[in-house]
Every structure is written in structure tokens, then in C-alpha cells.
Amino acid sequence: ADKFAAEVKHLNDMVTELQAADTTLWCRLNMRSGGGTHAELKGGIHADVGFSVRGHLDWAVVELLMPPNQDADMLLTLGEEGYPPPCVYGCSLLPVAGRRPIFLEFELPAAQDCLRLLLPGLSFFRALGFAKPEDNVIHKLNACKPKKCKFRVALGSEGLTRAALRLYSGLKAPTKDLTKLVNVEYCLDDVPGLQEAFGDRHVHVDYSADAWGYSVAL
């Protein structure tokens, strides 16, 4: 318990400081080889655990929460350009070298047309220096018929580690097609019981960019 005392205190502090509307504990699995920095499980799967807090954030608070590096400065310029502040702050409970990797989540504007819903998220990729997704990838994302989208960024002590466009849809998203486009093996069947637990209706699809390139996650 003492090992995580500082992280639990940080969670409680954030709930109070941000006047949290809700708090979520999460676990993230990464099944790509070499894809994790925290806990390695059987079969080379890497795991991370942490929390996210939805509350009242502004860019001044965001600046205090982010690790000092060039990518954080680049993200802060988005505020100067009129981007709204994030609505969610998250943090790993497994610090790396004494520092907490964090993530921020941005609500994207609502739109009736699916493609118009995707465009603000795609502009985030460009603003953060990532290459624009290829047209065939955008077509497959559009085929997910998202009802809403969010954009997430993860930062560590060295800078930006991950950027993701999260799509929420009631349809079964064409994830097999997406994984082929980004050259990632479709490994849903490798996770025992996952289909039984969640069924065929995917809650959300993450299209993300990190040091290994683009990937798709459920």
C-alpha cells in the first residue's frame, strides 16, 4: 500500500482540485512487442493502470500538470490558438523513473455528418506534428459512423508518447479493415473471453499514433 500512497494522494488531490464530475480507474493492455514501459505480462503483453478525472480544467491548470518539455509547450500553443482546454486529466499509477505519465482528453465539436465530426480530430494530428492519415484510413474511420469523437494525448518526461482519435459508435466498427491498413495484426481472438465479455458491439475505437506508427485499439 505504501508503494502507491503518493499516487493515491495525487488522485484525491485531482478529484478535489478539478471538482471532479466523475473518476475512472482503468487498465490498458498493449499486445505489440516492445510496446510497453510498465508491467510485462505472459506472452509479451504489457499493461498499465491508472485513473482519469473529468472536471473543470483550463489551460493555466493544464500547464501546471504537464511535464516540462518541448511537446508540452507545443500543446500549450493550441490554447493560444483558441483550442478549448481538455475536459479529462488522467495519470498512470505506475510511475516511470519517479515521474507520472499523464494523458489529456479533448471533447470534439458535435456534427451531423460523420466526416465533419472526424475533421477536428484529424487536425489535432497535424497540429502535433503527425502525418495526416491516408485517405483510405479516413474512409474506414468514416465507415465506423461515429456518433461522437474525442482526442487524447499522452505525455511522459521526454515528451509526447501517444496521440489518439477515439470514435464512439453503436455499430460494429470495421476494425479488421483498419488494422490491415496500419499493418497491425488483428489479435482480438488472442484474448480469451474478450468477445464473450463485450460481444460484437465495440464501445469505442482508438486510432492512435505513437513511436511504433499508427495502430487501432478497442
Side-chain angles (χ1 to χ4, degrees):
D2 291 342
K3 181 178 180 181
F4 296 103
E7 282 65 45
V8 173
K9 181 180 184 301
H10 181 59
L11 165 59
N12 291 329
D13 289 345
M14 289 299 97
V15 169
T16 302
E17 178 68 26
L18 302 182
Q19 302 175 38
D22 58 71
T23 304
T24 303
L25 295 176
W26 49 262
C27 176
R28 181 169 179 262
L29 299 179
N30 191 332
M31 288 172 284
R32 286 181 294 171
S33 61
T37 56
H38 301 310
E40 183 168 355
L41 308 179
K42 182 178 179 181
I45 298 175
H46 291 77
D48 188 15
V49 293
F51 68 86
S52 59
V53 177
R54 179 179 299 276
H56 300 281
L57 283 157
D58 58 42
W59 284 109
V61 172
V62 171
E63 183 175 7
L64 294 175
L65 293 172
M66 287 196 299
N69 54 58
Q70 186 174 358
D71 288 339
D73 292 341
M74 180 171 61
L75 191 61
L76 289 171
T77 63
L78 297 181
E80 297 173 0
E81 294 171 4
Y83 280 76
C87 60
V88 172
Y89 166 80
C91 180
S92 173
L93 292 175
L94 302 176
V96 178
R99 290 183 175 272
R100 301 182 182 94
I102 72 164
F103 77 82
L104 301 168
E105 183 176 277
F106 298 80
E107 293 275 5
L108 299 181
Q112 295 295 323
D113 179 77
C114 293
L115 186 57
R116 289 184 181 275
L117 188 62
L118 291 171
L119 290 178
L122 297 175
S123 73
F124 259 102
F125 280 117
R126 292 193 298 270
L128 295 175
F130 291 98
K132 172 183 173 292
E134 296 181 3
D135 290 344
N136 52 354
V137 174
I138 296 174
H139 174 74
K140 293 299 182 183
L141 292 173
N142 188 47
C144 293
K145 298 188 181 301
K147 299 299 182 183
K148 66 176 180 177
C149 295
K150 297 179 181 180
F151 196 83
R152 290 181 152 211
V153 293
L155 297 107
S157 58
E158 300 300 319
L160 190 67
T161 59
R162 185 172 182 265
L165 177 61
R166 173 163 289 186
L167 285 63
Y168 293 82
S169 173
L171 300 178
K172 182 179 178 182
T175 50
K176 284 187 177 180
D177 291 340
L178 281 172
T179 53
K180 289 177 183 177
L181 289 172
V182 295
N183 297 317
V184 175
E185 182 181 357
Y186 188 82
C187 52
L188 181 63
D189 295 331
D190 295 339
V191 184
L194 191 59
Q195 286 177 310
E196 287 79 2
F198 295 103
D200 289 331
R201 292 169 64 86
H202 302 150
V203 176
H204 61 253
V205 174
D206 278 2
Y207 179 72
S208 62
D210 58 21
W212 294 273
Y214 285 97
S215 64
V216 175
L218 301 180

